[in-house]
Amino acid sequence: MRTTQLDLFDADQPPDLRGLRAESPVHHDPATGLWLVSRHADVRAVLADPEAFHPDNALTAITPVPRPVLRVLARAGFSLPPTLANNGTPTHTALRRLVAGFLTPARVASFADRIADLCAERLVDGPVDLHASLARDLPCVVLMEVLGIRDVDVPALKAWSTASLELFWGNPSVDRQHELAASAGEFHRWLTTRLRAASPAGDDLFGALVARGTPVREAAGLCYFLLIAGQETTTQLLSTLLDRVLRHPDVWHRLSLDEPGLAAACVEEVLRREPPVTTWRRLTSRPVELSGVRLPAGAPLLLMLTGTDPEVFADPESFCPGRPDARKHLAFGYGRHFCLGAGLARLEGEVVLRTVARRFPALRLASVEPPPMLNLLSFRAPLSVPVV
Ligand code: HEM
């Protein structure tokens, strides 16, 4: 087993979860200082106990940011105060409620036809990379519409958000950190400008934050996280979904015939087996014991969200859309911070899969080789999905 020499940023060798669960379910990684928690029951127990396990480190840069790079961020007024994912204080409840108002099940469902139209517009005949032509920008366009945010330069927003993911969850060199910080700073400045110009009477997220009297620093921090989390993850889901389902031509054929429930089942199975958010962090608030390992207060934990624990899922490595217990996965977290966009992400996955399969029943991957992968501490997905 390779648990003693883990490289959490190695795209070709993701952590050996089976080995970790069996031999070292709460494993200290000296390279990052993180404690890797890999058993489903432990991960769920941690997420379910916000008193013993705080979310404060959820958005902390895993590669330390040196002072000159911090100055780049500071000059842009950049800060990430506790708002949603990184907020263990009582202010979390009201901010969560405000954002949830934009993501009610009825509101999300009302976007189904729009998602199908946006998907259909992006489908062309001939060889194409479905990551670049479809998965990359569709979730961003959808999110802006769901949040009522208009006049957005989508390519710029995508560039800012991919840079931010790498800055906070990647392992960049110092030169690269400078570039990424400049981009993150630009994004933050744009948010601040938009928030300052927002009307409290507006029906958009910026207006709602202003109407509530949210200080600009807090509002910008919230929007920074939400505008990244609300679309980069779904881009990753769409790419993984298309790549993996296309590796099962029988499933693709059944999807093209519109078999009821199959698209939703494929989405769930991909979320379980290869979630876009592979890990999430917590911090112990007091000494605790997990799977027999004693942890001190202040221990940073890396929770493994991939749903392949054989204690929970039979034959966990197999791709079996429709397995009865698929929804037990933790791809959207659990408890107080459970993902607010789970319904929207599921809908986007389902509608896109159905739309593409119906339009191209004979679609296949251009190559059976594994695709190049995005591999950050917490995010993993194909970077291209070439098809013919
Ligand atoms: C496949 C796509 C997505 C995945 C895999 C995903 C995953 C996650 C995970 C693992 C968490 C942390 C949960 C926890 O700490 O227990 C989270 C939180 C969150 N997600 Fe998502 N997410 C996705 C899409 C979205 C979308 C589309 C939105 C918004 C429209 C969104 C908004 C949020 C927010 C606001 C939080 C923080 C909630 C809180 O702290 O109260 N996510 N997500």
Side-chain angles (χ1 to χ4, degrees):
M1 195 176 71
R2 298 180 309 107
T3 50
T4 47
Q5 295 163 352
L6 278 170
D7 176 358
L8 294 169
F9 302 99
D10 184 343
D12 299 326
Q13 295 278 357
D16 167 18
L17 294 181
R18 199 187 331 184
L20 281 169
R21 284 185 195 115
E23 293 174 35
S24 187
V26 180
H27 181 84
H28 188 249
D29 174 41
T32 55
L34 293 165
W35 291 87
L36 276 49
V37 181
S38 49
R39 285 187 182 155
H40 179 101
D42 286 338
V43 173
R44 194 169 181 276
V46 169
L47 292 170
D49 185 351
E51 308 311 324
F53 304 96
H54 287 175
D56 305 32
N57 61 344
L59 311 181
T60 305
I62 186 62
T63 300
V65 181
R67 212 174 278 265
V69 179
L70 286 176
R71 276 201 287 272
V72 174
L73 292 171
R75 274 200 294 275
F78 185 98
S79 69
L80 279 181
T83 54
L84 289 170
N86 62 343
N87 190 357
T89 78
T91 60
H92 172 257
T93 313
L95 290 170
R96 185 173 163 97
R97 196 175 303 130
L98 181 144
V99 175
F102 286 86
L103 294 161
T104 60
R107 185 170 163 78
V108 166
S110 74
F111 277 87
D113 290 347
R114 176 69 179 141
I115 297 168
D117 290 347
L118 286 168
C119 178
E121 280 168 19
R122 283 162 176 72
L123 297 179
V124 287
D125 290 321
V128 68
D129 172 6
L130 288 177
H131 171 82
S133 64
L134 173 65
R136 194 170 150 73
D137 79 336
L138 183 143
C140 187
V141 176
V142 172
L143 182 70
M144 293 308 112
E145 294 188 11
V146 170
L147 299 178
I149 301 176
R150 297 160 190 97
D151 301 324
V152 177
D153 179 346
V154 170
L157 183 46
K158 287 301 289 187
W160 288 332
S161 52
T162 49
S164 291
L165 284 191
E166 188 182 342
L167 180 63
F168 288 95
W169 284 276
N171 191 17
S173 66
V174 173
D175 282 349
R176 180 78 180 138
Q177 280 177 318
H178 268 279
E179 288 170 29
L180 299 171
S183 172
E186 221 182 290
F187 185 15
H188 202 273
R189 272 208 190 97
W190 178 81
L191 287 170
T192 307
T193 308
R194 290 291 300 253
L195 283 159
R196 292 218 165 99
S199 160
D203 60 358
D204 61 320
L205 174 73
F206 297 149
L209 286 162
V210 173
R212 182 184 164 270
T214 318
V216 169
R217 181 173 164 270
E218 196 177 289
L222 180 149
C223 294
Y224 179 80
F225 165 74
L226 183 59
L227 268 52
I228 296 174
Q231 48 86 22
E232 281 298 324
T233 47
T234 312
T235 286
Q236 293 159 12
L237 172 66
L238 297 182
S239 292
T240 311
L241 190 61
L242 290 162
D243 181 279
R244 297 320 190 227
V245 177
L246 282 166
R247 285 171 200 276
H248 297 266
D250 52 322
V251 178
W252 191 262
H253 176 67
R254 285 160 54 204
L255 282 168
S256 73
L257 301 175
D258 223 357
E259 183 176 309
L262 183 58
C266 288
V267 171
E268 225 48 52
E269 186 63 345
V270 164
L271 284 165
R272 175 192 72 79
R273 192 167 160 268
E274 284 184 285
V277 183
T278 49
T279 71
W280 207 241
R281 282 173 288 172
R282 286 291 192 269
L283 200 60
T284 56
S285 65
R286 53 175 167 80
V288 289
E289 198 174 305
L290 270 182
S291 274
V293 177
R294 292 160 79 97
L295 299 168
L301 310 183
L302 187 69
L303 310 176
M304 301 298 180
L305 302 182
T306 303
T308 48
D309 189 334
E311 292 287 322
V312 182
F313 303 103
D315 193 10
E317 308 294 339
S318 310
F319 180 74
C320 300
R323 61 166 72 227
D325 49 6
R327 277 221 179 199
K328 285 188 183 158
H329 67 68
L330 299 168
F332 292 117
Y334 183 77
R336 189 181 285 180
H337 294 272
F338 181 80
C339 177
L340 277 173
L344 179 60
R346 282 181 164 126
L347 180 71
E348 289 184 59
E350 195 185 323
V351 170
V352 165
L353 198 54
R354 274 208 321 260
T355 308
V356 182
R358 269 197 304 222
R359 167 89 180 267
F360 294 118
L363 195 72
R364 54 185 175 80
L365 290 173
S367 158
V368 291
E369 291 300 308
M373 299 292 283
L374 170 77
N375 193 49
L376 303 172
L377 179 76
S378 296
F379 304 97
R380 189 171 162 80
L383 287 167
S384 66
V385 187
V387 291
V388 286

